[in-house]
Amino acid sequence: MQRISLAVANWKMNGTLAEAKRWAEDFAPVAPALEGVETVVCAPALHLPLLHASLPESVRLGAEDVSAYTNGAHTGDVSAAMLADAGVDWVIVGHSERRAEAGDTDERVLEKARRASEAGLSTILCVGETLEERRAGSTESVLERQLVSVLSGLKPGELAALAYEPVWAIGTGEAASPETAQAVARHLRGLVARHWGEERAARLPVLYGGSVNEKNAAQFFACPDIDGALVGGASLDPERFGHIAKALKARH
Ligand code: PGA
């Protein structure tokens, strides 16, 4: 396998500091069994320093978002350099909740990816269509727009992973079928190949996200173009997230 396997937790706006610490302690016994799987915990910015101190060393720290700006008068923003300084390795950009709730446009997502890259962070770009877009038959054009507007502004080394997250599957308990996820993952890889060449496309990890849990995860990991998962709700429980990461390891 020439691509890395990625199990990414996305806690979203959940948990106290005490709960974050307990999660890290409870996950520690699982971590040694996950060798070969890049395991990442993306948490609220406020929790990151505590997690940096309490997560097992083999578990990487991620941020759920990053500022589009380098520094200065941007009240409420957290810069890529601040994240790196706090021990963060990974960052999510373009999550549909940021697009819908914080007004992140494709242009702003590109700027965020650029700031992340400048600070040496590994970027996961999320793309995904809404139910209305899927019903209107515009899934492919929406995904292409979201992906190409970022790809065309970055160098091939500036993106670490892609995540296909259909908006209708996020937090709904209605995951996409593995067939749908695989078809989209292959399509996305084809678009990457068109822009950055076959070799880069063959090495770029593509994740699926949207109601992944310990019961359905293995089906996604059996798909040839799916290299891992971005896990929201099920990642709040270290045991459930551990099962998902172990299912990813089992595919090796
Ligand atoms: P979910 O969220 O697993 O709760 O559906 C996934 C995500 O938004 O990253």
Side-chain angles (χ1 to χ4, degrees):
M1 174 64 59
Q2 52 179 175
R3 293 190 289 271
I4 60 165
S5 298
L6 260 175
V8 184
N10 175 14
W11 287 0
K12 310 191 178 184
M13 196 170 71
N14 287 296
T16 62
L17 287 171
E19 284 165 343
K21 188 156 194 295
R22 201 169 323 123
W23 194 103
E25 286 162 3
D26 290 348
F27 196 71
V30 182
L34 299 176
E35 206 189 317
V37 173
E38 178 88 350
T39 306
V40 183
V41 175
C42 297
L46 201 56
H47 294 12
L48 294 171
L50 169 88
L51 284 169
H52 184 54
S54 36
L55 279 173
E57 223 169 280
S58 61
V59 178
R60 303 271 164 247
L61 195 56
E64 299 173 8
D65 190 28
V66 62
S67 177
Y69 305 98
T70 309
N71 68 340
H74 305 288
T75 302
D77 270 16
V78 176
S79 75
M82 291 171 183
L83 295 174
D85 186 46
V88 168
D89 292 311
W90 288 84
V91 66
I92 297 170
V93 301
H95 192 282
S96 61
E97 285 152 16
R98 301 303 302 173
R99 292 181 193 260
E101 296 172 8
D104 278 10
T105 58
D106 292 324
E107 293 70 27
R108 196 189 293 165
V109 173
L110 169 60
E111 288 309 311
K112 290 182 172 199
R114 283 184 169 143
R115 297 301 84 74
S117 166
E118 286 159 9
L121 302 177
S122 296
T123 300
I124 302 168
L125 169 65
C126 297
V127 297
E129 81 286 3
T130 63
L131 192 55
E132 294 68 42
E133 289 163 340
R134 174 158 282 269
R135 286 193 174 141
S138 48
T139 298
E140 290 202 354
S141 61
V142 168
L143 296 175
E144 178 161 357
R145 191 206 73 226
Q146 291 176 342
L147 179 62
V148 172
S149 53
V150 175
L151 284 197
S152 51
L154 294 179
K155 294 189 199 77
E158 292 180 320
L159 188 65
L162 264 179
Y164 170 52
E165 293 215 311
V167 179
W168 45 270
I170 295 177
T172 60
E174 301 281 333
S177 69
E179 294 75 23
T180 298
Q182 162 59 26
V184 172
R186 173 148 302 175
H187 176 64
L188 294 174
R189 200 180 295 289
L191 291 172
V192 174
R194 219 162 71 198
H195 283 265
W196 285 343
E198 292 289 343
E199 201 185 327
R200 180 64 193 121
R203 287 179 178 277
L204 188 70
V206 178
L207 316 181
Y208 168 73
S211 297
V212 173
N213 59 41
E214 64 282 16
K215 295 196 182 77
N216 64 19
Q219 296 173 280
F220 294 107
F221 303 153
C223 299
D225 281 284
I226 297 178
D227 306 301
L230 184 50
V231 187
S235 77
L236 295 173
D237 179 339
E239 199 180 323
R240 294 180 72 194
F241 184 63
H243 283 306
I244 294 166
K246 278 186 197 157
L248 185 55
K249 173 153 173 112
R251 86 175 183 143
H252 286 284

